[in-house]
Amino acid sequence: AIGGVAAANIARFDGSTFHPLGLGVDGIVTALTLRADGSVLVGGDFASAGGAPAARIASWNGSNWSTLGAGLSTLVRDLSEASNGEVLAVTTSSNAYHVFDGASWNSVAGPIGIAYDAVTLPDGDIAVVGSFIEVGGNPLLRAAYRYSGGAFALIPGTQGGAARSAAVAPSGELVFASAIGGIPGIYQATAQGPQLLVPWTFQLYPDVIAFLPNGDLVAGGNFYQNGAGGIARFDGTAWQLIDGGLLGGSVRDLAFGANGDLLITGTFQA
């Protein structure tokens, strides 16, 4: 359960209360994104959504679940939609990057390393963050790459540490959770390198970050304090659990629905 409400691995938060999305899905949900048409796309390691077969990826239109193509064969780490309608899925397979062109899924070559998160940038391209080693240049740990038109390119200002999650700030800048120089926090990519924006005070790093409409930063993951945790908000001064947090389980991804509700996926159960 989340916030005392029964929900099968995915829920929405309307600003005061959590609600389930139909029957939810029957396995771990690790990826969540809002599409341009208003539908919500989820991925993870599940076999059904809303009680019907769905191979690790499914779409929610506000009332019903449906599939996207034939689905994928390995766990989906994250999803994001480019402005041209392409959906990029980051998976745990050896060919980790897959693109849905509206009819079928196709693998694409990407950066070497482990990708954890993907977010759509203001210009419509997709940023992928993780733990990467730059190829053919300085072997410095890199945190983020840009995907556009079938190719990846390094994002400047993301060197010096791996990134577990990322979001686009209200200002349009890419921010990511990392521990540059051993200091855990939320960093912003700048021309001078990563700049610390908000310190992270829980013991375990967040698996996902997002900004609320009012500009507050939200983080989800497997962090706890006093028996509850998983989801917290930074109000400009300190991190606070949202609506009491999770009572067991963890948060894997966050996104906003077309109506502005906060959608949460994870390992909490109905």
Side-chain angles (χ1 to χ4, degrees), residues 58-93:
S59 179
W60 170 259
N61 67 3
S63 57
N64 296 295
W65 289 96
S66 61
T67 59
L68 195 70
L72 295 165
S73 60
T74 58
L75 183 146
V76 178
R77 291 188 189 273
D78 208 9
L79 298 159
S80 194
E81 183 182 41
S83 60
N84 63 0
E86 286 185 335
V87 175
L88 176 68
V90 177
T91 74
T92 57
S93 64

Side-chain angles (χ1 to χ4, degrees), residues 165 177 184-187 196-202 204 206 208-212 215-220 223 225 230-242 254:
S165 55
I186 311 303
Y187 288 80
L196 180 65
L197 291 181
V198 177
W200 180 247
T201 54
F202 291 94
L204 297 178
V208 58
I209 56 175
F211 286 92
L212 295 175
D216 285 357
L217 184 62
V218 174
F223 50 86
Q225 65 180 21
I231 184 164
R233 179 201 318 238
F234 186 79
D235 60 11
T237 303
W239 290 99
Q240 305 288 343
L241 296 181
I242 295 179
L254 303 166

Side-chain angles (χ1 to χ4, degrees), residues 122-257:
D123 63 5
D125 290 346
I126 297 173
V128 175
V129 303
S131 178
F132 309 113
I133 300 296
E134 185 181 1
V135 179
N138 188 344
L140 191 64
L141 192 62
R142 304 290 180 170
Y145 278 78
R146 175 188 295 268
Y147 172 80
S148 178
F152 288 85
L154 178 68
I155 296 179
T158 63
Q159 72 276 14
R164 290 287 301 182
S165 55
V168 175
S171 63
E173 303 296 331
L174 177 69
V175 302
F176 54 96
S178 187
I180 308 297
I183 302 174
I186 311 303
Y187 288 80
Q188 178 177 316
T190 74
Q192 292 73 40
Q195 301 295 316
L196 180 65
L197 291 181
V198 177
W200 180 247
T201 54
F202 291 94
Q203 184 175 6
L204 297 178
Y205 296 157
D207 291 320
V208 58
I209 56 175
F211 286 92
L212 295 175
N214 68 355
D216 285 357
L217 184 62
V218 174
N222 193 32
F223 50 86
Y224 278 80
Q225 65 180 21
N226 301 322
I231 184 164
R233 179 201 318 238
F234 186 79
D235 60 11
T237 303
W239 290 99
Q240 305 288 343
L241 296 181
I242 295 179
D243 199 29
L246 293 176
L247 302 176
S250 64
V251 170
R252 298 298 184 93
D253 208 354
L254 303 166
F256 290 97

Side-chain angles (χ1 to χ4, degrees), residues 30-120:
T30 54
L32 176 65
T33 193
L34 178 68
R35 304 197 70 185
D37 63 5
S39 62
V40 177
L41 197 60
V42 303
D45 194 11
F46 52 84
S48 69
R56 298 177 180 84
I57 191 164
S59 179
W60 170 259
N61 67 3
S63 57
N64 296 295
W65 289 96
S66 61
T67 59
L68 195 70
L72 295 165
S73 60
T74 58
L75 183 146
V76 178
R77 291 188 189 273
D78 208 9
L79 298 159
S80 194
E81 183 182 41
S83 60
N84 63 0
E86 286 185 335
V87 175
L88 176 68
V90 177
T91 74
T92 57
S93 64
S94 57
N95 53 334
Y97 309 98
H98 303 267
V99 173
F100 185 72
D101 59 10
S104 61
W105 289 96
N106 302 283
S107 62
V108 295
I112 297 173
I114 301 174
Y116 293 111
D117 201 3
V119 296
T120 303

